[in-house]
Amino acid sequence: MDAAEFRKRGKEMVDYVADYLEKIDKRQVFPDVEPGYLRPLIADCAPQEPESFEDIFKDIEKIIMPGVTHWHSPYFFAYFPAASSFPALLADMLCGGIGCVGFSWAASPACTELETVMLDWLGKMINLPQEFLAGKDGQGGGVIQGSASEATLISLLAARTKTIRRVQSEKPELTEAEIMGRLVAYASDQAHSSVERAALIGAVKIKNVPSDDTFSVCGSALKKVLDEDKAAGLIPFFFCATLGTTPCCSFDKLLELGPICNKENIWMHIDAAYAGSAFICPEFRHLLNGVEFADSFNFNPHKWLLVNFDCSAMWVKKRSDLIGAFKLEPLYLQHHHQESGLVTDYRHWQIPLGRRFRSLKLWFVLRMYGVKGLQEHIRKHVRLSHQFEHLVLQDGRFEICAEVVLGLVCFRLKGSNKLNEALLKSINEAKKIHLVPSHLREKFVLRFAICSRTVESTHIKFAWQHISQLATDLLKTWEQNHQQE
């Protein structure tokens, strides 16, 4: 493919993507395929001779689309949002075209410097304390990670290194292996599984701190666990607080937890993967109060801020904590500006060496929507979640299972877990809408997340009418079966 054909095919692909997104509501949200559907549809081996673009293009609808779950459909209410917008898609196209691998300032100065400035822009939008911003001479700063899981892992590994060095200086008789064996990380029993996975990769113990009746961790619960572990000779070193938990969007009590972590020399990382985008709205910013106690903070613009995957924003108070844990300097990566103090080499802030020019997506979206446009996007989703909550509360057969704060509603039929499992099964088998469940204590709960950029009130009404009718049908057969028993 030469440049002339690329121009032609590129326009065709843009038209295809625009048509796909414009008419996505006409597609069934969840595919009909079974595992293994794709292999019989394609050849066993790569072709020896080149194939035409036309043939490949035809196969998109024939082979790929039948197996796609349409995350951007207005009938998709599962997981959390996956952000997308036309400005972000165009920026990603430019990112692919430039094709730099921005592991250092010298590898592509614009790639590095735009990221530093964009993370400062984003930090100011959510009113992060000045300590987290790079500015011209700050000690903190932001970096784009691939996911919140990576941000948690990075912060845990940096905390581990920092703690080992501190304990070794205080108790030189202890070996690194002995210290590692005593380290303990902590997170809410509602925290995402990626926190436990980070501890697994980091080879340290992790303990769940019990959450309260609102599914939040409070200071007294953390203090109790810390006191028990310190008395047993363990070394608490890391706590991951969650703002907007995956099961029900609950919020750990930062103002209680932060001072404890600071006093006990525990690194506090805040995972606000979904909820963090809402903090650009002044009415939701109070949910972030207490961030001033944290060592690191993360949220995903690729969830709710119209920047398509992957773009996970992470900030640290002291970038030296990250660099001190990960810095290696082989000759082939060195450059003559690296000791100037004026540049950032992001390879020291992340797991992989290479990185894409992801800040272009932020730059395009923040400029083309503006803060006000993004605030309206968040507020619209929150309004729609409360609309769905209101519809649920009007039906005495159902109950709301957690406070609706942002764009997630947790609900269920009053009754057994098996009844609600059957309801979810009937919803997802009908393939009109798509939901996923969670467990809140002993209850099996249905999660209804407002996800699509194009979702409207009519889609919420349709979803509720569909759920309500399926519930009616289910309860009839359920009662008949139980009467026969």
Side-chain angles (χ1 to χ4, degrees), residues 265-458:
N265 235 331
I266 294 170
W267 181 300
M268 183 165 82
H269 174 67
I270 298 173
D271 174 11
Y274 161 69
S277 297
F279 304 153
I280 68 170
C281 300
E283 64 269 32
F284 299 122
R285 174 54 178 79
H286 69 277
L287 296 167
L288 188 56
N289 289 349
V291 67
E292 59 271 18
F293 298 108
D295 297 276
S296 54
F297 166 72
N298 164 257
F299 83 91
N300 292 345
H302 69 229
K303 275 193 168 69
W304 206 10
L305 216 57
L306 299 178
V307 180
N308 54 303
F309 190 85
D310 57 336
C311 183
S312 184
M314 176 187 181
W315 291 265
V316 286
K317 265 187 186 164
K318 293 184 179 178
R319 57 178 175 264
S320 58
D321 288 337
L322 294 190
I323 296 167
F326 303 114
K327 186 173 184 178
L328 292 170
E329 291 285 19
L331 182 62
Y332 49 81
L333 296 179
Q334 294 176 24
H335 57 91
H336 64 281
H337 288 292
Q338 67 185 37
E339 302 302 333
S340 68
L342 299 174
V343 302
T344 297
D345 284 347
Y346 277 125
R347 69 179 184 274
H348 304 313
W349 297 50
Q350 61 176 20
I351 298 295
L353 173 64
R355 57 203 337 273
R356 298 186 305 117
F357 202 162
R358 293 176 290 204
S359 56
L360 283 170
K361 294 186 287 193
L362 268 177
W363 193 45
F364 274 45
V365 169
L366 296 183
R367 291 181 69 187
M368 293 194 72
Y369 280 90
V371 176
K372 288 183 179 178
L374 294 170
Q375 287 172 335
E376 179 47 38
H377 172 67
I378 299 292
R379 287 168 178 151
K380 174 188 170 186
H381 275 200
V382 175
R383 285 195 302 271
L384 292 175
S385 73
H386 286 297
Q387 178 188 349
F388 185 79
E389 176 193 25
H390 180 68
L391 291 168
V392 174
L393 288 172
Q394 286 181 313
D395 190 327
R397 301 174 300 174
F398 287 86
E399 60 181 334
I400 297 290
C401 304
E403 182 185 2
V404 179
V405 180
L406 297 176
L408 177 68
V409 183
C410 291
F411 72 107
R412 72 197 297 272
L413 277 168
K414 295 172 182 174
S416 68
N417 284 347
K418 285 188 176 179
L419 176 64
N420 283 280
E421 288 169 13
L423 175 60
L424 181 68
K425 187 171 184 282
S426 65
I427 290 169
N428 285 335
E429 283 182 350
K431 296 183 171 68
K432 302 284 188 186
I433 63 173
H434 189 46
L435 303 182
V436 294
S438 67
H439 269 109
L440 294 178
R441 304 287 185 256
E442 73 286 353
K443 288 184 176 180
F444 182 92
V445 168
L446 282 65
R447 296 169 74 265
F448 188 92
I450 310 297
C451 292
S452 171
R453 176 177 56 85
T454 59
V455 67
E456 299 290 346
S457 177
T458 51

Side-chain angles (χ1 to χ4, degrees), residues 168-234:
Q168 280 183 323
S169 69
E170 294 169 357
K171 300 177 180 178
E173 70 278 8
L174 291 179
T175 66
E176 183 172 325
E178 286 172 326
I179 297 168
M180 278 280 290
R182 296 189 195 178
L183 292 179
V184 190
Y186 303 87
S188 166
D189 56 16
Q190 301 297 308
H192 194 272
S193 59
S194 60
V195 185
E196 185 177 350
R197 196 162 182 262
L200 185 68
I201 296 169
V204 294
K205 299 181 189 72
I206 187 165
K207 294 192 176 183
N208 286 336
V209 182
S211 54
D212 62 16
D213 292 343
T214 64
F215 307 104
S216 307
V217 169
C218 60
S220 58
L222 177 62
K223 190 173 186 309
K224 182 175 183 290
V225 178
L226 294 180
D227 288 346
E228 290 171 357
D229 285 351
K230 285 193 298 178
L234 299 174

Side-chain angles (χ1 to χ4, degrees), residues 38-48 51 59 63:
L38 189 141
R39 185 172 287 276
L41 300 178
I42 60 176
D44 285 340
C45 307
Q48 293 295 318
E51 294 186 12
D59 283 346
I63 295 171

